[in-house]
Amino acid sequence: VGGVYMDFLSEQGNVVVSKNLLKKQWKDDLITFFAVVLNDRGDTERVRKLLYEKIGKRYSCFILTAREWREEIEAMLRKASSVMNGLSVVIVLIAVFGIMNSMIATVIDRIKEIAVLRAIGALNRQVVGSLVMEAGFIAFVGCVLGFGLGLLLSSLDIYIVIKKAWGWRFPFYINYFSLSALFVLVIVVSCIAGWYPSRRASKIELEKALEYE
């Protein structure tokens, strides 16, 4: 074995041998894929046209340059990434509405406690700040648990599910910048979502709130 490399052209993996060995041992001289390396890159278009005229029409071959092949793969990856980005936006919106509903329910359930704090001297900004911090803490705990569970499920998917189903083994890569940016975004947006019910809580009428059951 001369070496092992990662090849995404085949779901089952490939064994690369010389054509002479393939013909000698297996009596097979068919070719499904081959690469042409040019000394002069300026002749790329001329060589491609020549290859298409010689074998392209006869065997219905697809002849792509390395740049076109790379651009096609990158376009597929961008398409898949755009879907994941859309899902991330949906997840953030769900988190925002969830925290907003949770904070509204919290304010309703603790009207009397909030009124007592106001009555003993708590300022409006202190009430708002405490509830906004609570919303941020909920988002922080949710991010830690969600990211941890997401990394665990992703690693299981890559190393077990995909490998067993298709034979591919992708490298596990964590984009720490995107992860950190999403972490901060969720906490900031959650604090903003908790600001509206907090403002409502700070403006309640003390007499009615203290009588609230």
Side-chain angles (χ1 to χ4, degrees):
V1 178
V4 179
Y5 68 98
M6 187 172 296
D7 184 10
F8 298 112
L9 296 177
S10 173
E11 299 176 356
Q12 306 301 325
N14 290 324
V15 177
V16 180
V17 298
S18 67
K19 185 180 178 182
N20 293 333
L21 179 62
L22 180 66
K23 187 175 181 180
K24 178 181 179 181
Q25 297 293 335
W26 289 276
K27 312 301 180 182
D28 187 358
D29 59 355
L30 298 178
I31 298 176
T32 56
F33 177 86
F34 63 89
V36 178
V37 181
L38 303 180
N39 292 327
D40 186 0
R41 295 183 179 181
D43 293 336
T44 301
E45 290 299 325
R46 184 180 64 82
V47 172
R48 178 165 66 170
K49 291 179 180 179
L50 181 62
L51 289 173
Y52 184 76
E53 292 176 357
K54 296 293 184 180
I55 63 174
K57 296 179 180 179
R58 182 177 178 182
Y59 297 104
S60 300
C61 296
F62 293 96
I63 302 175
L64 300 175
T65 64
R67 176 178 296 179
E68 290 172 343
W69 175 254
R70 184 174 63 251
E71 290 175 351
E72 184 176 349
I73 298 299
E74 290 176 350
M76 294 173 60
L77 294 175
R78 283 195 300 269
K79 185 176 180 180
S81 177
S82 64
V83 174
M84 298 304 297
N85 292 335
L87 290 177
S88 300
V89 173
V90 173
I91 291 172
V92 171
L93 292 177
I94 292 174
V96 168
F97 286 111
I99 290 179
M100 183 176 291
N101 289 335
S102 175
M103 294 305 299
I104 290 175
T106 298
V107 169
I108 294 175
D109 290 339
R110 295 192 298 188
I111 286 180
K112 192 170 183 177
E113 289 80 358
I114 294 172
V116 170
L117 290 175
R118 291 278 312 283
I120 63 177
L123 301 176
N124 288 345
R125 65 173 180 270
Q126 292 175 328
V127 174
V128 173
S130 64
L131 293 175
V132 169
M133 288 179 62
E134 182 177 341
F137 180 75
I138 293 173
F140 174 80
V141 174
C143 286
V144 171
L145 295 177
F147 288 163
L149 184 60
L151 292 175
L152 175 62
L153 293 177
S154 298
S155 61
L156 292 176
D157 190 33
I158 290 175
Y159 291 121
I160 297 178
V161 178
I162 294 179
K163 185 178 180 181
K164 293 293 184 182
W166 296 290
W168 289 344
R169 184 175 180 180
F170 294 99
F172 188 71
Y173 171 74
I174 301 175
N175 190 330
Y176 291 100
F177 176 78
S178 298
L179 200 64
S180 302
L182 185 61
F183 190 92
V184 174
L185 176 64
V186 170
I187 293 178
V188 171
V189 173
S190 299
C191 290
I192 295 174
W195 178 83
Y196 173 70
S198 303
R199 287 290 297 174
R200 290 188 59 184
S202 67
K203 294 182 179 299
I204 58 177
E205 298 182 14
L206 294 182
E207 294 181 359
K208 292 182 179 180
L210 291 173
E211 297 174 357
Y212 177 80
E213 293 293 342

